[in-house]
Amino acid sequence: MRYELAVFNTDQVNKKRIKFSASDLMRSDEIHQREAFLAQAPVGTPAHMQHDMHRVIGWSRQVGHYIDGEMVRVLGCIEYPETEEDRAVLQDRVARHRERVNINSTEPYRRQLTAKLGFSDGEDLTLIRLESVFAMREGLAAKQYPEFFAMNSAIVDKDGLIDYDELVARTTELAPGVFHDKKRDLVLVAHRFFRRRLSHLNALNTEFLTSFSGVASGHPDLRARIRLDPDLLGDPASTKGLIELEYWRGPKYDDDINNIPNGVAEHKADEQTRLFEGVDRTQVWWKAPETRTVGSTSAEYRTFEVEELIEDPSSGLASEQYGCRYAHAEYSADAAAFTHFDGAIRAYEGAQYLARFEASINRAGKQSDYSKLFRFDGALPVSDWKRLLSDYFRGNNLIPEYLGAPADAGEPRSAAVSTGAKELAKAPLAAFISLVPGSLSDGATLCSEQLQQIGNKNFPFVEVGVGEVATHLNSKRNPDVMAIGFRDDILNLSRFAIGRTRKSAVSFTDELSGLAAAFSKDVESGIVRRAAIPIMWDCEGLVITLTIAGDASLVLSILQQLPALIDPDCMPSEWIESLVALIQREAPMERAPVIWEGVERGVLAIERQGTIEAEFILSDPLKDALKSSGA
């Protein structure tokens, strides 16, 4: 496997206007670590291309929480398979993960949901976790709610769309596209074609469904209709929002539809859009204005059609079909508004799609399996139409580009850390908290985690420095492990483990205070100017490593204040906010560079360059081993 480091999240307001607190981010990591340990499962989750559960590209795991004078960043590692063996390991890991997570999240609701649906508890019924815990069976919702699906119903049209006003009058919208019938205490949901790949494995298009609800409720004279999923019914107690941190920009062009030329425009996707979204091209067709008689007056209308052409079959359809998003609208020049707008999926078999792929939209005909998803009738303002159109085609950058939105500047869509990012200016101060399941034995000791090659052998070592810190820690290292001190005014102390005792808080304070006192002397003498000090202890089945790194004087200041700030018997989520406030008070900074060195090991380290003089502390057995190595 090859791996890349990335920033997974922060405690800042993101482009979706969501803010996660540092304590919530930390608590999420604590919970996941425990769950993985109890399930004897690997830490982490599958990594997907653009949140598409059918496009697994690797395995992602958090490595720690990075704190500096600007923000808190959740740093992670994404592993990508390189060989067939890697891919087999990944597929097995993903399959086990999905089965475990689905069982854990659905089983608490199985009995009550099956009872509401009128099934026996032992009856075979597939449960899946999406926006709610849903029971899934072909035609399940359509059979239990014929008034919402049957085309002979008073509130369902010939295309199977339900009148939105009637729907919200009879249910409560818990989340975009998620509707609670309080009478039966069940959840209905928007059709699966509002999901990526038209598949039940993926989340709903909440951008569009939010816009749909806003427009429908904001224009009482507008008749809105939508298609519900006939196969899913859920438990409202299980409903929770699914957050996909994918930024989607909207259209910004002017509202003058009259000046748009007639004819077809085809927009080819760039390599990035093809890779991330699987869209090859988008075809837009504005027909010539036509005059219609409405009542006793004539009115001029323009018809609009747009269809995206995709590269791969849609996983939610059978028989290798290609499901393409399509929209149709009619614009009234007299009303200066759209009087009709609908969206659908055009599904093509292989041979049909090949013919469609080579044709222009105005010559393609209607050789597809057509499923309408939503519809508006009435005066729809152009600005609302643009928002709806753009959100319906979420992920297809060609739509907002066509509508005149400027391209987003700057950052690529990959979250990976570039080589250049690792070579930024020196960070004045940072902290890093990493977690692994486990516990520590009693006592305090330096942990040997790295190897030094001498002659033809590799020897484990601990780094202790060349001053008072080395003297102070001499009794806290394994004498059979080599100790190294580098003379370059940098100290990357090896992980200092403080094991639990009956008086863990007292022991923790004593060890930190003793280390801080020794480190203070090295800072005052000028031996150390930059340092990384990792402290390790355990709490509630997790081993916690806290590294303080940066300018030695600032590291010393934080180290001296840690005993009053951290209770070793409390989880990091309980004290991280206090640590954040302390670091941002000691070294406030904007656009702070990140210390990436050591992150993959769960610590921070100060990068070294060039040839460095070193001191070795060796026991007699180690000296004999060195001689035999040819050094």
Side-chain angles (χ1 to χ4, degrees), residues 481-549:
V481 174
M482 181 189 308
I484 299 180
F486 294 96
R487 292 190 173 277
D488 62 350
D489 73 17
I490 291 174
L491 172 62
N492 285 320
L493 188 68
S494 291
R495 215 178 299 228
F496 183 43
I498 304 175
R500 297 187 64 78
T501 65
R502 292 182 180 178
K503 299 180 179 179
S504 61
V506 175
S507 161
F508 185 80
T509 297
D510 289 345
E511 293 294 348
L512 283 184
S513 298
L515 177 60
F519 183 56
S520 175
K521 295 178 181 178
D522 289 344
V523 174
E524 290 173 4
S525 67
I527 292 176
V528 181
R529 298 187 185 278
R530 298 270 291 166
I533 310 290
I535 312 298
M536 183 167 68
W537 68 99
D538 67 332
C539 181
E540 299 183 18
L542 293 179
V543 175
I544 303 158
T545 298
L546 168 63
T547 306
I548 310 297

Side-chain angles (χ1 to χ4, degrees), residues 330-381:
E330 294 180 352
Y331 175 78
S332 167
D334 296 324
F338 285 88
T339 56
H340 170 84
F341 176 44
D342 65 68
I345 296 296
R346 284 178 163 179
Y348 301 87
E349 300 287 352
Q352 286 179 325
Y353 190 59
L354 182 61
R356 171 65 188 91
F357 198 79
E358 298 298 328
S360 174
I361 189 172
N362 61 336
R363 300 180 181 277
K366 298 180 180 180
Q367 305 302 313
S368 66
D369 184 2
Y370 183 86
S371 300
K372 191 170 289 187
L373 298 181
F374 68 90
R375 176 172 176 168
F376 288 95
D377 291 289
L380 175 64

Side-chain angles (χ1 to χ4, degrees), residues 413-461:
R413 296 175 81 172
S414 171
V417 179
S418 67
T419 303
K422 292 187 177 183
E423 298 172 354
L424 291 168
K426 294 178 180 178
L429 179 66
F432 190 62
I433 305 170
S434 62
L435 307 175
V436 294
S439 60
L440 300 178
S441 57
D442 289 348
T445 185
L446 285 171
C447 302
S448 173
E449 301 175 85
Q450 295 179 284
L451 300 174
Q452 175 69 43
Q453 183 175 358
I454 302 178
N456 58 10
K457 289 185 178 180
N458 289 319
F459 293 88
F461 75 92

Side-chain angles (χ1 to χ4, degrees), residues 459-460 477-483 617-627:
F459 293 88
R477 64 177 183 85
N478 185 339
D480 294 329
V481 174
M482 181 189 308
I617 303 174
L618 307 171
S619 63
D620 288 338
L622 277 174
K623 291 176 182 177
D624 293 338
L626 279 173
K627 291 177 183 178

Side-chain angles (χ1 to χ4, degrees), residues 141-153 155-156 184:
K143 183 177 180 180
Q144 302 238 0
Y145 286 89
E147 69 273 24
F148 288 175
F149 292 91
M151 294 182 189
N152 59 356
S153 168
I155 61 174
V156 178
R184 298 182 58 188

Side-chain angles (χ1 to χ4, degrees), residues 20-93:
F20 301 91
S21 69
S23 56
D24 284 339
L25 292 171
M26 192 78 245
R27 191 173 295 107
S28 174
D29 194 10
E30 294 165 359
I31 293 171
H32 178 73
Q33 293 280 349
R34 286 199 192 96
E35 288 179 345
F37 176 72
L38 292 174
Q40 297 184 324
V43 170
T45 59
H48 303 95
M49 182 69 79
Q50 290 303 91
H51 304 285
D52 184 348
M53 300 298 117
H54 294 278
R55 301 176 72 193
V56 178
I57 58 173
W59 187 262
S60 66
R61 57 182 173 83
Q62 294 185 16
V63 293
H65 297 246
Y66 182 95
I67 307 164
D68 60 19
E70 183 182 21
M71 68 177 75
V72 178
R73 297 173 176 86
V74 179
L75 304 186
C77 174
I78 305 175
E79 300 173 353
Y80 300 97
E82 294 187 293
T83 65
E84 287 302 320
E85 183 179 357
D86 288 345
R87 280 182 274 276
V89 169
L90 176 62
Q91 289 174 0
D92 179 69
R93 187 184 295 179

Side-chain angles (χ1 to χ4, degrees), residues 67 431 433 546 558 562 565 575-583:
I67 307 164
I433 305 170
L546 168 63
I558 300 298
L562 284 184
L565 186 144
W575 47 259
I576 187 173
E577 299 284 3
S578 298
L579 180 60
V580 171
L582 174 60
I583 287 175

